[in-house]
Amino acid sequence: MNEVRKGGPFPSGMSHDNFEPPRRMMMFVVTIFLIACLVALAFTWIAHPGEPDETSPAATAEQAR
């Protein structure tokens, strides 16, 4: 008749094993975030390589203004 919940001090009978999936999900999200940051840095570096060349037509058009 009397219900005894197992699992210790965790609410609603949750055991310690239930804490592993959120940690794995957090590691997955952090990994995806870091990969996205690396892709963004690579894109920025490729798309904007630095100062324009002095001989390029765009650079001379900017100087003429």
Side-chain angles (χ1 to χ4, degrees), residues 6 10 12 15 20-22 25 38 47-48 50-51 56:
K6 295 181 180 180
F10 302 110
S12 70
S15 67
E20 253 340 279
M25 186 170 60
L38 289 175
H48 304 287
E51 295 295 322
S56 69

Side-chain angles (χ1 to χ4, degrees), residues 1-2 4 10-11 16 19 22 29-31 38 40 42 49-50 52 55 61 64-65:
M1 292 269 169
N2 195 3
V4 176
F10 302 110
H16 182 67
F19 281 106
V29 169
V30 168
T31 303
L38 289 175
T55 58
R65 290 184 188 177

